[in-house]
Amino acid sequence: KENFVPLTKLQFKPGINRDVTSYSNEGGWVDCDKVRFRQGYPEVIGGWEKYSPETYIGTVRGLHNWVALDGGDFLGLGTESKYYVEQGQQFYDVTPIRKTSTNSITFAATNGSSTITATDANHLAVQGDFVTISGATSLGGLVTAAVLNQEYQIDSVPTANTYTIIAKDTTGATVTANASDSGNGGSGVDGVYQLNSGLNTGVGGTGWGAGTWGRGTWGSAATQTVATQLRIWSHDNFGEDLLINPRDAGIFYWDKSDGLTSRAVNISTLGGASDVPTICKQVMVSDVDRHVIAFGADTINTGEQDPLLIRFSSQETATDWTPKATNTAGDLRIGAGSEFVRAVETKREIIIFTDSSMHSMQFIGPPFTFGIQPLATNITIMGPNAPVAVNDAIFWMGRQNFYLYDGQTKQLPCTVKERVFFDFDYDQADKVYGSAISEFGEIIWFYTSNTNSLANGGTGENDRYVIYNYQEGVWYYGDLGRSAFLDRGIRTFPIGAADNYLFNHETGYTDDGAVMTSRLESSPIDMGDGDFFTSIRRVIPDFTFNGSTTPDPTVNLTLQSNNFPGGNYLQTELSKVDRTATTTTVPFEQFTNKADVRLRGRAFTLKVDCATAGVRWRLGSPRVDLRQDGRR
């Protein structure tokens, strides 16, 4: 007669720990993807779906949501090529105009080619810029007036006075010139040039390799300053209007009352503009006192950028930047570090990051308006979008460490640091994008892995994330590419940007209707000190599938055993641990089925994975029939 052996309850420590050996992490989790921990137990994260079927041009590096006085809900988004304002799932191009050429453009075509060469003296365009052509006539053949009079993205810039475009018809199909296309497009051809485009990938230095391949011919002189850093936007609403700033460029103003088809304009062109910064690294509106603040700005009347200079407008105006005894405009200079990186506003202060220091900037009133105090030195920050503010605390990713400021600056203990920083593409550090998911008490950072680096044949774009749950003090991670992310705030769902689409997150449990795979793996569990062999005969899984959108939710549960830490695993798969379809009103835990297995080894691990769309699973405390089975 078989002796009765009680079931062993498996209880795991919450969070993932990859920074210790497998045996040292006994009773913990070692790997996961698209899993979060809530109240100490693991569950699948929410899925995502397209917010809008419409696409935008470029890769979004900044998102800002605000509500106008009439209740209109707007979202600003900036890419390397354009800036859009979104409302009602439609994207409106509000990219500022850099230059307008009047009656000055001519064209040349080659028989059998779709490339059109435009001549416009001193156009100052770079590859990837956008120009809208009007007033042209047919070149005489297939390149008609309708083909020429459109918005075009500049394909190449052979000289300071010419650039090329690829001819297309009104549907976007390529048009090839024929022998009859011998005209120059007529006289009176105008061109409206949008703000110079920026880089979509990080480059090192300003010499060989900096900039986009093909921006000039071999040995030719540069016709325009070529950006050597990623195009990153800062933006803030000034009342119901919007201030935007492409890093290391001017400050632009979008007036909501002018309508969604209007373009943002440089604030220096607005009425009453005085000593407006011509360049800065970030623009912000101070919520407490309504000053517009420009960080890393140029000095008054020189146009020379000071990477540590902070300038601010007079209160309640975006145009008056001239310091006077009768206003509150002025400036400050950061006293440590060599370059401003980012400013983040909390409820009580503005925290300023340089490349090696951190400072607090606060409104103190007249006569000085603002005061600045040093907080920390010898800190690091991964990029301009690495810090995340939650109430009065700021979390950020540094180089090789994570940090927290909550009145004091601290390093965050991190149990997945090696997993993140040992496979990190530092050439794309500026692409790191942090955000909160406040519903679950999470801070999420998206980053580019070295596996996905350009040097290793990848896309060079963000493909992974790491999460710190500040409510539970645990870490977890996964694979997901988002170039920008915004907590839900005004809108119902968090919003992520990827592949020219915006996505609502934490909705459903699919990858935009397709399967969203998830997985979880424990560290080895042994009996005693691992000196006994263990036999497992039964498993009673403890899952709940509440909230699943599929009528038959399933997960796969796998047990693996081995004899030594470096040994191979012997695997037994328990597939389709499911809910009885008829128990629609009763929690699954009351109808759990046991699984009979035969597994033997000194230690075993437990794996959970799901590859079924619409499954919301949560793991509790499974039981196993665990018996001592010899010692040798």
Side-chain angles (χ1 to χ4, degrees), residues 266-278 300-301 311-314 317-324 327 329-330:
N266 196 299
I267 56 175
S268 63
T269 65
L270 300 177
S274 174
D275 288 322
V276 171
T278 62
I300 292 179
N301 299 324
R311 293 181 57 192
F312 45 91
S313 70
S314 188
T317 176
T319 55
D320 184 6
W321 296 73
T322 304
K324 299 176 185 176
N327 69 14

Side-chain angles (χ1 to χ4, degrees), residues 30-63:
V30 71
D31 192 25
C32 74
D33 182 28
K34 299 178 185 67
V35 170
R36 64 164 44 99
F37 288 81
R38 191 162 58 92
Q39 298 177 341
Y41 293 97
E43 65 181 26
V44 66
I45 68 171
W48 53 89
E49 63 183 9
K50 287 187 181 71
Y51 164 74
S52 168
E54 303 297 323
T55 60
Y56 49 81
I57 296 173
T59 303
V60 172
R61 304 290 181 195
L63 293 166

Side-chain angles (χ1 to χ4, degrees), residues 7-10 538-542 620-626:
L7 296 173
T8 300
K9 182 179 180 180
L10 300 181
R538 283 188 301 162
V539 177
I540 300 179
D542 182 25
S621 301
R623 274 74 168 169
V624 294
D625 185 346
L626 190 64

Side-chain angles (χ1 to χ4, degrees), residues 215-417:
R215 287 201 174 196
T217 56
W218 175 263
S220 63
T223 58
Q224 172 70 7
T225 301
V226 177
T228 57
Q229 66 176 5
L230 195 70
R231 169 58 57 85
I232 294 175
W233 296 83
S234 60
H235 30 208
D236 208 346
N237 54 291
F238 187 75
E240 66 175 0
D241 301 330
L242 183 67
L243 290 168
I244 60 178
N245 164 240
R247 192 172 181 86
D248 289 325
I251 304 173
F252 300 90
Y253 192 94
W254 181 75
D255 193 330
K256 183 262 179 186
S257 61
D258 289 341
L260 288 163
T261 59
S262 64
R263 300 237 177 216
V265 299
N266 196 299
I267 56 175
S268 63
T269 65
L270 300 177
S274 174
D275 288 322
V276 171
T278 62
I279 188 171
C280 68
K281 293 181 177 292
Q282 183 184 342
V283 66
M284 174 189 290
V285 178
S286 176
D287 291 339
V288 174
D289 46 276
R290 296 271 296 168
H291 286 84
V292 179
I293 307 172
F295 299 89
D298 59 326
T299 57
I300 292 179
N301 299 324
T302 69
E304 183 177 348
Q305 185 178 21
D306 183 338
L308 294 176
L309 180 67
I310 304 170
R311 293 181 57 192
F312 45 91
S313 70
S314 188
Q315 198 166 14
E316 298 287 351
T317 176
T319 55
D320 184 6
W321 296 73
T322 304
K324 299 176 185 176
T326 55
N327 69 14
T328 57
D331 60 58
L332 294 167
R333 196 173 190 279
I334 304 169
S338 59
E339 184 177 14
F340 166 86
V341 177
R342 185 71 173 183
V344 182
E345 190 169 21
T346 69
K347 291 181 178 179
R348 62 186 177 186
E349 59 192 332
I350 297 172
I351 300 300
I352 299 169
F353 294 89
T354 73
D355 51 358
S356 62
S357 62
M358 190 169 69
H359 305 261
S360 171
M361 178 176 171
Q362 291 180 297
F363 177 71
I364 58 176
F368 301 108
T369 309
F370 286 100
I372 189 167
Q373 296 290 333
L375 295 176
T377 57
N378 297 321
I379 58 118
T380 63
I381 184 169
M382 193 62 80
N385 288 319
V388 182
V390 178
N391 297 322
D392 280 336
I394 295 178
F395 302 83
W396 73 96
M397 178 191 283
R399 292 179 177 265
Q400 303 295 329
N401 284 296
F402 293 89
Y403 296 88
L404 164 66
Y405 171 76
D406 58 359
Q408 295 182 329
T409 305
K410 313 167 187 175
Q411 268 192 31
L412 278 176
C414 179
T415 56
V416 297
K417 188 162 65 172

Side-chain angles (χ1 to χ4, degrees), residues 128-139:
D129 281 6
F130 285 83
V131 57
T132 301
I133 297 166
S134 62
T137 61
S138 171
L139 295 187

